[in-house]
Amino acid sequence: MTATQRRTQIVELLRGRGYINANELSEMFLVDGSTIRRDLSILEKTGKIIRTHGGLLPAQDAASGDTPYNVRRNLNVQEKTAIALAALRDIEDGQSIILDNGSTVFQLAVALKARKNITVITNDLMTAMQLSQHPSITLHVAGGVMLNNVYTLVGPDTTRKFEHLHVDWAFLGAEGVHFQGGITNINTVEIPVKQSMIAAAERTVVLADSSKVGYQALSHVCALSAIERVITDNRRPIKNESKYGDKLLIVEA
């Protein structure tokens, strides 16, 4: 990967996640801290990021004043809500589902109050908190180690939880969706967890706003053929849309 490609991925990661710190970037891209600091200095000078105490924000969100998780969750809310409502139509009362981490999947957790007697298994602590408010939902939270700033549990304990399950649906987040590259993620430590979620489910749906479609992130999760479909929004034109075949469901946002 060239320095230019790495910097492009850093900006895209920030747009999708809303916040990250420099140490995480160093681990993700397998480069030393001085290399990341050089990248961030260039990105800051060109107006693409804002460096804050403890981390980074996308330039357009620098004045929001939100905490890191809320910055991420409040990006593209209209699109994410439309995607979540489309996903909700797949779920019937009495079914079992896996909810991955991610702000778009979080919106599906918010919408689940419209269903009854649902069993949910998640590795996202904020999603778990949201679902704990609904008495008709039976909630299981996977164990593991929490990733800084994103409230996501990962590691062997998390993976083992999903390896011993069989559910009707899995709803995954993604940082990249590409007709050739499939589903990708910037953070390699989450890959085994996502793959175990897919293996546990009868059907898997990826929820990703249109900024993620056409992009390939650092780490491969699965091919498009491994999932039922990707639900996305119509706010941005999708290049090579026809090449996704019937895997892409585009909803109006």
Side-chain angles (χ1 to χ4, degrees):
M1 179 184 297
T2 67
T4 299
Q5 290 171 329
R6 185 174 59 251
R7 290 164 195 158
T8 298
Q9 290 203 8
I10 290 171
V11 173
E12 291 297 324
L13 173 63
L14 275 172
R15 287 173 180 167
R17 182 175 288 184
Y19 179 90
I20 198 167
N21 65 50
N23 289 337
E24 287 181 278
L25 291 174
S26 181
E27 293 173 1
M28 289 174 188
F29 291 102
L30 302 177
V31 295
D32 60 35
S34 62
T35 299
I36 289 296
R37 287 192 295 272
R38 190 160 50 248
D39 288 340
L40 299 182
S41 178
I42 291 171
L43 291 172
E44 184 178 35
K45 288 177 181 177
T46 55
K48 294 179 179 178
I49 68 167
I50 296 293
R51 298 169 82 173
T52 67
H53 178 69
L56 319 167
L57 290 173
Q60 66 269 28
D61 297 300
S64 68
D66 290 324
T67 62
Y69 184 85
N70 287 335
V71 169
R72 182 167 60 95
R73 197 176 76 187
N74 291 334
L75 293 171
N76 303 324
V77 173
Q78 185 172 336
E79 294 93 325
K80 293 171 182 177
T81 301
I83 292 166
L85 292 175
L88 183 67
R89 292 195 286 269
D90 286 329
I91 303 169
E92 299 176 2
D93 290 350
Q95 288 192 317
S96 56
I97 66 173
I98 289 170
L99 294 183
D100 188 18
N101 70 305
S103 52
T104 308
V105 179
F106 178 87
Q107 292 301 324
L108 177 55
V110 173
L112 272 178
K113 62 187 177 184
R115 296 291 181 266
K116 296 179 180 179
N117 301 320
I118 299 295
T119 298
V120 177
I121 308 94
T122 186
N123 68 325
D124 186 289
L125 296 179
M126 297 305 290
T127 289
M129 290 294 292
Q130 171 66 32
L131 293 173
S132 69
Q133 303 174 39
H134 304 316
S136 66
I137 291 176
T138 300
L139 175 64
H140 298 258
V141 181
V145 178
M146 191 179 77
L147 285 180
N148 291 339
N149 305 312
V150 294
Y151 300 96
T152 300
L153 299 170
V154 296
D157 289 341
T158 317
T159 302
R160 277 192 293 270
K161 175 69 174 181
F162 294 110
E163 286 175 345
H164 293 90
L165 296 177
H166 179 266
V167 301
D168 297 299
W169 294 95
F171 295 93
L172 269 63
E175 280 150 353
V177 175
H178 192 272
F179 64 90
Q180 288 180 320
I183 309 304
T184 53
N185 195 67
I186 194 68
N187 195 331
T188 57
V189 74
E190 295 180 37
I191 301 303
V193 176
K194 290 177 183 287
Q195 291 173 341
S196 65
M197 290 175 172
I198 294 168
E202 284 286 338
R203 291 158 290 183
T204 297
V205 175
V206 171
L207 310 182
D209 69 69
S210 54
S211 68
K212 314 291 181 60
V213 181
Y215 173 67
Q216 295 187 68
L218 181 68
S219 301
H220 181 75
V221 177
C222 68
L224 276 181
S225 59
I227 64 171
E228 179 139 321
R229 64 180 167 273
V230 176
I231 304 179
T232 191
D233 64 84
N234 66 345
R235 284 298 180 96
R236 298 170 183 81
I238 295 173
K239 291 181 63 176
N240 301 304
E241 181 181 332
S242 63
K243 294 187 177 181
Y244 293 87
D246 61 357
K247 294 295 184 181
L248 211 57
L249 173 61
I250 302 174
V251 299
E252 185 173 352

